[in-house]
Amino acid sequence: MTSLRLKAAFTGLAAAALLLVGALPAQAQSPQEDRKTTYKITPYVISDPALIADPEKLVEEVTKRGDLDRLGIKPSTSAGPSQMTKNAALAADPASYVVDSSRFPNGRIPADIYDYTNWEECGANSDAASQDAGWIKNRYSYCQKHLLFMPAFECGLFPPQCKITGVYSSTNTLIGYGKVGGHEDHPNFRWADFRLKVENIVTTGPFAGSGADMSAAIECEGTYTDEDSNLNDDHACYAHENEETEKTINEWRVNDEAYFDIASQAISSDPLWGEQIATGVFHIEYEFDLPWYFQIIDTESPEGGMRFDSAWYLQSHKLGSVFDRAVPGMSYTKSDAQVAGVATHLEEARANPGATMPTQADKHLAGGTPGDPIHRLAQAKGEKQGFRYDENRRIVRNYCATKAMQDLKATLPVNQGPYDCDEYPMASTYEGAGRHLFPDEPYGGAQYERHYSARWVNSEVNQEAGRRLGRWYDVDRLLDQDAFHIPIR
């Protein structure tokens, strides 16, 4: 960026000037030159829950040492936020979210499909929101908190030393809102919007003067996943009508919010054009214009991820946008009588696969955690998916008709029936019972024969669990091959 080139040029000139002055005899240094000072500003964009809650620790550190290196924090740049060299150990599982199946009783669409977060709820989840990845409440709701921190140093050439003279800091929270349906101005375009709140603004020293401006703009870079797409990647994800907000620091204090939106171009939702999946990486770009500092300072917030699709085979909405950096999950609860039998089946089968029917050595049943997911098989997408779904059902149906399974059914209490033969993983997944028949397709292979569990479950319980699962697929926009997990509570 231009500001980075200016900074590099300024740094080079300053270094050259120091070398030149150092080479001059002492008498050539005038009293005016002795008093000459410049300012140096080092921006930081920090995502760390403890430091966001205690910015005074940063002030103490830069006052003592001149930087945050001892805390493992590097300055931010126009290319990204501060690198944290002392990050916590990586979690065992990837990020995920979970909604309970009770949100979809009888397979109904919830009155509010979004269940967006708000400022208060985001604050209550500050530990997760204050990580680079942010907190993804659900498929449509994202929140990220970060600290903008900029110490200003007054530097003298003679002697060549710097001292801190003031700081700017603020706690910034970005909330994102995924959408279903097209943009009101472009019905085929997918879109999302965002709100930024800039709070706890502290300005001391030169930052406290009038005339300092801060602008915040959303940027998004995207690609279409279909290599044969006729659409330009420049239009896969881009800032739409509300791209930038610029205010003085004092105006941010009075009105601490800004609004942005992004969009993704698409043709009509139709099998002819495919799902038209686009992925985007978004962030907020900050620029500071300070009257006492000759160059513009720019830096970025942590990145977030978004997926746009026009999946015609989803039932309720044919296009939409979701936050895709968390593995979706829907739970079944054992205390929920309407799905209790299925919940118990899944929990016991995954805990002890060797005891399930059909018997098979080294059987593994995935789907219990986000790190060991299963994958949606959308039978309505095309003939290939429909055929694989039918094969999953055929394998289980034939097994449940065997003498062993029928004899087992005969021992069950009549007053707790009628019974369905429940299967796990479900027929609507690529890990379903027929996966061994598809060695050259995703998640298939001969080694997976009999890697499923079949159990007799009350018919209404089994069918209610299926209705809820199907509606969750639809509402949360799980596309063909999307990973998900089914925890049991």
Side-chain angles (χ1 to χ4, degrees):
M1 285 194 154
T2 302
S3 58
L4 281 180
R5 290 195 293 270
L6 284 171
K7 186 170 185 178
F10 173 72
T11 303
L13 288 170
L18 284 170
L19 288 172
L20 179 60
V21 170
L24 293 174
Q27 61 268 26
Q29 300 168 10
S30 69
Q32 184 177 4
E33 287 172 321
D34 287 346
R35 294 192 300 271
K36 185 176 182 181
T37 60
T38 59
Y39 285 107
K40 181 181 77 171
I41 296 176
T42 306
Y44 294 89
V45 179
I46 299 169
S47 293
D48 180 283
L51 294 175
I52 290 175
D54 185 18
E56 279 300 313
K57 183 175 182 179
L58 304 176
V59 177
E60 293 172 6
E61 188 69 15
V62 296
T63 301
K64 289 179 182 178
R65 303 178 184 275
D67 56 40
L68 301 178
D69 288 358
R70 194 176 67 89
L71 300 180
I73 304 172
K74 298 298 182 183
S76 59
T77 69
S78 61
S82 298
Q83 293 184 359
M84 311 286 287
T85 60
K86 294 185 179 180
N87 279 344
L90 294 175
D93 278 329
S96 66
Y97 75 88
V98 177
V99 298
D100 192 72
S101 71
S102 58
R103 181 164 158 76
F104 311 98
N106 204 34
R108 292 196 299 269
I109 299 174
D112 175 15
I113 67 169
Y114 296 125
D115 190 24
Y116 288 138
T117 191
N118 53 41
W119 304 118
E120 292 74 23
E121 187 179 33
C122 181
N125 289 273
S126 184
D127 281 356
S130 300
Q131 305 294 335
D132 275 356
W135 173 54
I136 296 179
K137 177 184 179 181
N138 60 47
R139 202 73 152 157
Y140 299 103
S141 188
Y142 162 91
C143 171
Q144 205 282 330
K145 296 182 70 173
H146 50 276
L147 181 72
L148 270 180
F149 179 72
M150 292 193 302
F153 299 91
E154 188 178 90
C155 301
L157 292 178
F158 306 104
Q161 63 182 18
C162 299
K163 64 178 181 179
I164 188 168
T165 58
V167 298
Y168 169 91
S169 71
S170 63
T171 305
N172 295 7
T173 304
L174 181 68
I175 291 183
Y177 309 85
K179 307 289 182 183
V180 296
H183 192 279
E184 61 180 5
D185 296 330
H186 306 282
N188 292 329
F189 285 23
R190 299 77 57 97
W191 69 294
D193 58 4
F194 298 81
R195 283 175 173 79
L196 175 71
K197 183 183 281 284
V198 180
E199 300 177 285
N200 306 320
I201 297 175
V202 174
T203 54
T204 63
F207 289 104
S210 61
D213 285 357
M214 183 185 81
S215 70
I218 196 161
E219 295 186 359
C220 189
E221 294 185 6
T223 58
Y224 292 97
T225 60
D226 184 355
E227 295 180 356
D228 298 325
S229 173
N230 293 323
L231 298 170
N232 189 319
D233 280 349
D234 289 344
H235 302 146
C237 185
Y238 61 95
H240 196 47
E241 296 173 349
N242 298 279
E243 180 177 1
E244 182 177 14
T245 296
E246 181 176 1
K247 307 177 193 178
T248 67
I249 301 300
N250 286 332
E251 287 172 338
W252 281 105
R253 282 193 172 98
V254 174
N255 179 5
D256 61 7
E257 292 190 24
Y259 174 80
F260 312 101
D261 59 354
I262 59 176
S264 175
Q265 183 179 356
I267 311 170
S268 61
S269 180
D270 188 282
L272 178 66
W273 308 114
E275 294 158 308
Q276 301 181 73
I277 296 172
T279 57
V281 177
F282 61 84
H283 65 267
I284 300 298
E285 181 89 6
Y286 295 105
E287 285 195 356
F288 286 82
D289 187 2
L290 308 171
W292 44 270
Y293 194 63
F294 81 94
Q295 67 184 111
I296 293 174
I297 304 162
D298 65 46
T299 190
E300 297 180 358
S301 73
E303 295 177 342
M306 183 141 248
R307 188 200 72 195
F308 306 89
D309 74 84
S310 299
W312 72 94
Y313 53 83
L314 294 180
Q315 294 178 351
S316 56
H317 297 94
K318 305 302 181 182
L319 64 164
S321 62
V322 298
F323 296 99
D324 63 350
R325 293 192 174 182
V327 179
M330 186 193 76
S331 60
Y332 289 123
T333 302
K334 291 184 291 182
S335 61
D336 182 347
Q338 295 185 62
V339 295
V342 169
T344 300
H345 174 198
L346 270 58
E347 181 178 59
E348 294 179 353
R350 290 193 300 228
N352 189 6
T356 63
M357 297 182 70
T359 58
Q360 178 65 36
D362 301 322
K363 182 189 296 188
H364 174 68
L365 300 175
T369 66
D372 185 25
I374 50 182
H375 301 82
R376 189 195 174 187
L377 172 62
Q379 65 265 35
K381 182 180 177 181
E383 291 184 7
K384 183 170 65 175
Q385 289 82 2
F387 177 70
R388 184 158 174 170
Y389 174 87
D390 290 343
E391 287 298 279
N392 286 343
R393 293 293 302 126
R394 180 184 66 81
I395 295 293
V396 173
R397 188 167 56 247
N398 289 346
Y399 179 73
C400 291
T402 62
K403 184 176 185 303
M405 285 296 287
Q406 291 299 315
D407 287 348
L408 182 59
K409 183 180 180 182
T411 67
L412 299 176
V414 174
N415 63 348
Q416 294 182 22
Y419 296 94
D420 282 351
C421 193
D422 182 34
E423 65 196 277
Y424 181 82
M426 305 83 165
S428 58
T429 69
Y430 277 86
E431 289 78 9
R435 67 189 300 198
H436 64 286
L437 301 173
F438 302 89
D440 300 323
E441 295 186 15
Y443 314 106
Q447 71 271 27
Y448 297 117
E449 187 172 5
R450 299 167 72 89
H451 278 235
Y452 65 94
S453 174
R455 179 183 292 194
W456 296 109
V457 172
N458 174 274
S459 296
E460 180 53 35
V461 167
N462 183 53
Q463 291 166 31
E464 173 64 7
R467 287 190 291 266
R468 294 183 183 187
L469 179 67
R471 183 55 68 190
W472 176 63
Y473 286 158
D474 175 50
V475 168
D476 278 21
R477 306 197 70 77
L478 269 79
L479 306 187
D480 189 59
Q481 298 191 41
D482 272 359
F484 68 95
H485 66 299
I486 304 287
I488 303 303
R489 295 174 169 172

